């Protein structure tokens, strides 16, 4: 099926990130072409969040994926929160229905699915580094999956302690001598384009004792901590996997169409290429 030529009725979807990447653009546009949908997708950043959200509303932009650092900051400018966003107070998806902006969080869905797919043991201790909007989604998914013991590692004590206690875990500024079986990075450490792009989110000696290393950073597909974990023979879960699953759920919200498993697989491979 051929995608229609861009015209006045073509619907625009977008992403909003501090450091825009091409994964979502490639993923969504691949599926629009594959399914012959009259949509187009473009990545943006902004220095005026309120004006940007107003533009989504007034220009009739159908949907917007929201990434760091806007997941919590965008909430005051939206009209309605789906349960997935309300429970976490963090947004990664905005759907525009005739000027009414409804917020969702598909990160939670993606993380929950990946914990199941990779058969991560629930009786293990975890350490999650980070305290922002994505950290909320991951921590909520860990709690709901049955992880009883874990630590939130954050330099900001107020944010880290508040987040940890909200989900029944413990805050620490650093791991010290603790060696958790599951390590989760939910910070920009290792993200391409940043000042910490070559840095490890966990020390090599901590990775040595881990069973599974999970990095939500999707750009690059293999961050320094994921590369080192692979070299050490650890089970890894990548940000590219998170991004693909949450992007699929966004695609369905925007278009009302669910691609086949084969189409999803090919779109994910294309997006990572």
């Amino acid at each position: 099926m051929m995608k229609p030529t861009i015209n006045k009725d073509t619907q625009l979807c977008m992403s909003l990130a501090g450091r825009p990447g091409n994964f979502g653009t490639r993923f969504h546009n691949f599926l629009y072409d594959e399914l012959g949908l009259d949509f187009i997708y473009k990545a943006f950043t902004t220095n005026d969040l309120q004006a940007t959200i107003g533009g989504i509303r007034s220009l009739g932009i159908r949907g917007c994926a929201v990434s760091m650092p806007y997941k919590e900051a965008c909430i005051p400018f939206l009209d309605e929160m789906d349960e997935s966003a309300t429970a976490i107070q963090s947004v990664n998806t905005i759907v525009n229905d005739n000027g009414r902006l409804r917020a969702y969080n598909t990160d939670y869905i993606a993380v929950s699915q990946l914990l199941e797919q990779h058969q991560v043991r629930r009786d293990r201790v975890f350490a999650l580094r980070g305290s922002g909007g994505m950290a909320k989604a991951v921590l909520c998914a860990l709690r709901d999956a049955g992880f009883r013991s874990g630590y939130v590692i954050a330099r900001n004590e107020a944010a880290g302690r508040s987040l940890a206690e909200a989900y029944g875990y413990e805050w620490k500024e650093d791991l010290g001598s603790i060696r958790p079986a599951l390590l989760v990075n939910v910070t920009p450490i290792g993200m391409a384009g940043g000042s910490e792009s070559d840095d490890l989110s966990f020390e090599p000696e901590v990775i040595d004792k881990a069973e599974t290393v999970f990095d939500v950073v999707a750009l690059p597909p293999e961050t320094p901590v994921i590369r080192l974990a692979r070299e050490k023979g650890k089970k890894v879960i990548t940000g590219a996997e998170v991004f693909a699953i949450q992007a699929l759920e966004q695609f369905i919200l925007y278009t009302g169409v669910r691609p086949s498993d084969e189409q999803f697989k090919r779109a994910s491979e294309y997006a990572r290429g």
Side-chain angles (χ1 to χ4, degrees):
M1 187 181 297
M2 292 295 293
K3 178 179 175 179
T5 303
I6 294 175
N7 58 79
K8 67 180 180 63
D9 297 318
T10 300
Q11 296 194 71
L12 172 63
C13 291
M14 59 177 278
S15 63
L16 190 59
R19 300 177 197 166
N22 283 321
F23 189 101
T25 303
R26 291 169 64 86
F27 180 91
H28 286 271
N29 285 319
F30 177 93
L31 288 174
Y32 298 154
D33 287 342
E34 178 86 5
L35 296 163
L37 299 174
D38 194 7
F39 280 75
I40 191 167
Y41 193 101
K42 175 76 171 66
F44 293 93
T45 190
T46 183
N47 57 11
D48 190 335
L49 182 59
Q50 184 172 2
T52 300
I53 301 297
I56 292 170
R57 188 195 315 278
S58 63
L59 295 173
I61 294 170
R62 171 58 178 161
C64 177
V66 183
S67 296
M68 294 185 288
Y70 308 117
K71 290 173 179 281
E72 296 163 294
C74 69
I75 291 174
F77 311 124
L78 306 175
D79 300 311
E80 192 176 348
M81 300 271 281
D82 180 74
E83 289 180 1
S84 60
T86 300
I88 306 169
Q89 285 297 297
S90 177
V91 171
N92 84 324
T93 307
I94 300 169
V95 177
N96 183 358
D97 286 315
N98 300 313
R100 185 163 183 82
L101 304 184
R102 182 174 176 85
Y104 298 81
N105 194 306
T106 63
D107 288 328
Y108 172 90
I109 297 169
V111 173
S112 298
Q113 287 186 21
L114 287 167
L115 291 170
E116 188 68 33
Q117 288 175 16
H118 287 271
Q119 299 180 325
V120 182
R121 292 185 57 171
R122 273 52 166 177
D123 60 349
R124 297 301 200 245
V125 175
F126 72 83
L128 178 146
R129 185 177 298 281
S131 59
M134 182 66 176
K136 289 182 181 179
V138 176
L139 207 58
C140 186
L142 287 165
R143 182 199 63 188
D144 292 352
F147 287 85
R148 295 184 298 278
S149 182
Y151 301 94
V152 171
I153 311 302
R155 286 172 289 190
N156 184 323
E157 179 176 356
R161 188 182 293 279
S162 174
L163 177 63
E165 291 177 354
Y167 291 95
Y169 300 113
E170 186 177 343
W171 167 81
K172 285 189 174 295
E173 187 174 357
D174 57 61
L175 277 171
S177 61
I178 300 169
R179 295 294 180 264
L182 170 62
L183 304 175
V184 188
N185 176 49
V186 199
T187 74
I189 297 173
M191 183 182 291
S195 59
E196 300 173 297
S197 60
D198 296 326
D199 295 349
L200 290 170
S201 49
F202 293 96
E203 295 79 5
E205 58 270 23
V206 175
I207 298 169
D208 279 337
K209 300 298 183 182
E211 296 174 0
T212 304
V213 176
F214 184 176
D215 194 347
V216 304
V217 173
L219 185 68
E222 294 251 323
T223 59
V225 76
I226 290 294
R227 288 199 304 271
L228 183 59
R230 283 197 197 279
E231 290 172 10
K232 292 178 177 293
K234 309 300 179 180
K235 182 184 295 185
V236 300
I237 306 174
T238 69
E241 293 175 84
V242 177
F243 205 106
I245 295 172
Q246 66 83 26
L248 173 65
E249 298 300 324
Q250 289 174 332
F251 183 91
I252 296 164
L253 286 169
Y254 301 155
T255 67
V257 176
R258 179 176 287 277
S260 68
D261 290 346
E262 175 61 26
Q263 288 168 331
F264 169 64
K265 180 181 177 183
R266 286 192 285 113
S268 300
E269 290 170 351
Y270 176 76
R272 284 194 287 266

